[in-house]
Amino acid sequence: SPAGECLPAPGAMAQSSIAGGRITASAGSNLLGQHAVDRNQEATVYVGNLDPQVTEEIVWEVFVQAGPVVNVYMPKDRVSNAHQGYAFVEYRGEEDADYAIKVLNMIKLFGKPIRANKASVDKKSNDVGANLFVGNLDPDMDEKLLYDTFSAFGVVITTPKIMRDPDTGNSRGFGFVSYDSFEASDAAIEAMNGQFLCNRPISVTYAYKKDTNGERHGTPAERLLAANMEKKTTTHRPHTMFAAGPAGAPPGAGPPGMPPGMPPPPLVGVAPPGMMGAPPGMMGAPAPPGMMGGPPGMMPPPGMPVPPPPPQ
């Protein structure tokens, strides 16, 4: 470099411009510090369970596929400069963040399923003790398949955990799933206990509590506490449909502006029921000569009057 030119030290650059957004260098920074002031929390996705090899650039490349990313923030250790296993991705709009959560939650990065949810959700209020033990799992069962299976019954608040051998990484045949309500966990037990998953009948029961003498979750005391907590917080329902209608429209509702219960208007250019035999614009008009009966011996289409026999 030319004499006298001062180059920045490694890691000293605060941000780099990528595709119209930015990746924030965050060694020693705190989400609740200066970075949180100008962040739209409703358009920000929390990304957890990240492998140590994941970088800000990788997070950016993955999440920009769901929509325009404004900022990627990955808290790092001040000394080692290693990230702490999670990041925050801010989108341009709340709809982009919602879509990213739907399509990118539980995908694998470096073999680990990531967790994606709204950064504004208070996770502390979600753990009510609705924790399930899932046994007799097939060796090929992974966390994403476990999540996809059990998220049909309610909101799974943490990444499902499959216990694995620390040396080989092979499954030990059981895992754990946690819900945000006992209604969801009860439904999962009722529907899935004894069902076949990957050609194996799995067992689904409430997990044992930590530091107790054989007591399981799901006790009346836990349910009472959960009911009291539910009164104070809003309930987040899972996405159980592949597509939804317009916001606020009940199922089966007609077009906007139509009174409830009224049938939708017929399509333009389509004849009303009972008059499908004639083309549009030909209602009541005589057919061209020689075309009354179609080819000899051919019956008219349904709904068309039978033509009179030709004069002898």
mmCIF file of all heavy atoms in Angstrom, residues 153 185-195 204:
data_model
loop_
_atom_site.group_PDB
_atom_site.id
_atom_site.type_symbol
_atom_site.label_atom_id
_atom_site.label_comp_id
_atom_site.label_asym_id
_atom_site.label_seq_id
_atom_site.Cartn_x
_atom_site.Cartn_y
_atom_site.Cartn_z
ATOM 1 N N PHE A 153 -50.141 -30.393 15.480
ATOM 2 C CA PHE A 153 -51.049 -30.394 16.629
ATOM 3 C C PHE A 153 -50.978 -29.106 17.436
ATOM 4 O O PHE A 153 -51.803 -28.892 18.330
ATOM 5 C CB PHE A 153 -50.723 -31.587 17.539
ATOM 6 C CG PHE A 153 -50.779 -32.899 16.820
ATOM 7 C CD1 PHE A 153 -49.618 -33.519 16.393
ATOM 8 C CD2 PHE A 153 -51.991 -33.500 16.530
ATOM 9 C CE1 PHE A 153 -49.664 -34.725 15.705
ATOM 10 C CE2 PHE A 153 -52.053 -34.695 15.845
ATOM 11 C CZ PHE A 153 -50.882 -35.312 15.436
ATOM 12 N N SER A 185 -50.314 -30.684 23.339
ATOM 13 C CA SER A 185 -49.607 -31.907 23.729
ATOM 14 C C SER A 185 -50.583 -33.062 23.958
ATOM 15 O O SER A 185 -50.287 -34.209 23.600
ATOM 16 C CB SER A 185 -48.774 -31.645 24.993
ATOM 17 O OG SER A 185 -49.586 -31.162 26.053
ATOM 18 N N ASP A 186 -51.755 -32.771 24.539
ATOM 19 C CA ASP A 186 -52.759 -33.825 24.712
ATOM 20 C C ASP A 186 -53.203 -34.378 23.359
ATOM 21 O O ASP A 186 -53.369 -35.590 23.181
ATOM 22 C CB ASP A 186 -53.974 -33.290 25.478
ATOM 23 C CG ASP A 186 -53.679 -33.031 26.948
ATOM 24 O OD1 ASP A 186 -52.690 -33.595 27.456
ATOM 25 O OD2 ASP A 186 -54.429 -32.258 27.576
ATOM 26 N N ALA A 187 -53.414 -33.472 22.387
ATOM 27 C CA ALA A 187 -53.836 -33.902 21.051
ATOM 28 C C ALA A 187 -52.754 -34.738 20.380
ATOM 29 O O ALA A 187 -53.053 -35.726 19.689
ATOM 30 C CB ALA A 187 -54.177 -32.686 20.189
ATOM 31 N N ALA A 188 -51.492 -34.365 20.584
ATOM 32 C CA ALA A 188 -50.388 -35.117 19.977
ATOM 33 C C ALA A 188 -50.299 -36.525 20.561
ATOM 34 O O ALA A 188 -50.085 -37.503 19.834
ATOM 35 C CB ALA A 188 -49.073 -34.367 20.182
ATOM 36 N N ILE A 189 -50.477 -36.641 21.892
ATOM 37 C CA ILE A 189 -50.429 -37.969 22.517
ATOM 38 C C ILE A 189 -51.577 -38.833 22.011
ATOM 39 O O ILE A 189 -51.400 -40.005 21.649
ATOM 40 C CB ILE A 189 -50.480 -37.834 24.050
ATOM 41 C CG1 ILE A 189 -49.193 -37.195 24.572
ATOM 42 C CG2 ILE A 189 -50.697 -39.189 24.712
ATOM 43 C CD1 ILE A 189 -49.202 -36.913 26.062
ATOM 44 N N GLU A 190 -52.764 -38.245 21.958
ATOM 45 C CA GLU A 190 -53.942 -39.010 21.545
ATOM 46 C C GLU A 190 -53.824 -39.491 20.101
ATOM 47 O O GLU A 190 -54.226 -40.614 19.765
ATOM 48 C CB GLU A 190 -55.197 -38.152 21.709
ATOM 49 C CG GLU A 190 -56.484 -38.885 21.354
ATOM 50 C CD GLU A 190 -57.719 -38.026 21.560
ATOM 51 O OE1 GLU A 190 -57.573 -36.878 22.040
ATOM 52 O OE2 GLU A 190 -58.824 -38.495 21.249
ATOM 53 N N ALA A 191 -53.266 -38.651 19.240
ATOM 54 C CA ALA A 191 -53.218 -38.987 17.816
ATOM 55 C C ALA A 191 -51.996 -39.822 17.437
ATOM 56 O O ALA A 191 -52.071 -40.650 16.521
ATOM 57 C CB ALA A 191 -53.244 -37.709 16.979
ATOM 58 N N MET A 192 -50.850 -39.622 18.116
ATOM 59 C CA MET A 192 -49.597 -40.211 17.638
ATOM 60 C C MET A 192 -49.101 -41.396 18.451
ATOM 61 O O MET A 192 -48.261 -42.163 17.953
ATOM 62 C CB MET A 192 -48.502 -39.130 17.615
ATOM 63 C CG MET A 192 -48.749 -38.016 16.611
ATOM 64 S SD MET A 192 -48.961 -38.628 14.908
ATOM 65 C CE MET A 192 -47.379 -39.407 14.628
ATOM 66 N N ASN A 193 -49.549 -41.573 19.683
ATOM 67 C CA ASN A 193 -49.044 -42.690 20.481
ATOM 68 C C ASN A 193 -49.445 -44.022 19.839
ATOM 69 O O ASN A 193 -50.624 -44.291 19.613
ATOM 70 C CB ASN A 193 -49.593 -42.614 21.907
ATOM 71 C CG ASN A 193 -48.956 -43.659 22.814
ATOM 72 O OD1 ASN A 193 -47.772 -43.966 22.693
ATOM 73 N ND2 ASN A 193 -49.737 -44.213 23.721
ATOM 74 N N GLY A 194 -48.459 -44.838 19.513
ATOM 75 C CA GLY A 194 -48.704 -46.117 18.866
ATOM 76 C C GLY A 194 -48.781 -46.056 17.358
ATOM 77 O O GLY A 194 -48.895 -47.103 16.715
ATOM 78 N N GLN A 195 -48.730 -44.855 16.780
ATOM 79 C CA GLN A 195 -48.780 -44.734 15.319
ATOM 80 C C GLN A 195 -47.420 -45.072 14.709
ATOM 81 O O GLN A 195 -46.382 -44.953 15.355
ATOM 82 C CB GLN A 195 -49.181 -43.314 14.922
ATOM 83 C CG GLN A 195 -50.599 -42.953 15.296
ATOM 84 C CD GLN A 195 -51.624 -43.769 14.543
ATOM 85 O OE1 GLN A 195 -51.449 -44.058 13.359
ATOM 86 N NE2 GLN A 195 -52.700 -44.155 15.219
ATOM 87 N N VAL A 204 -45.564 -42.045 22.566
ATOM 88 C CA VAL A 204 -45.604 -40.615 22.887
ATOM 89 C C VAL A 204 -46.250 -40.456 24.258
ATOM 90 O O VAL A 204 -47.424 -40.798 24.445
ATOM 91 C CB VAL A 204 -46.400 -39.825 21.824
ATOM 92 C CG1 VAL A 204 -46.347 -38.331 22.117
ATOM 93 C CG2 VAL A 204 -45.872 -40.107 20.420
#
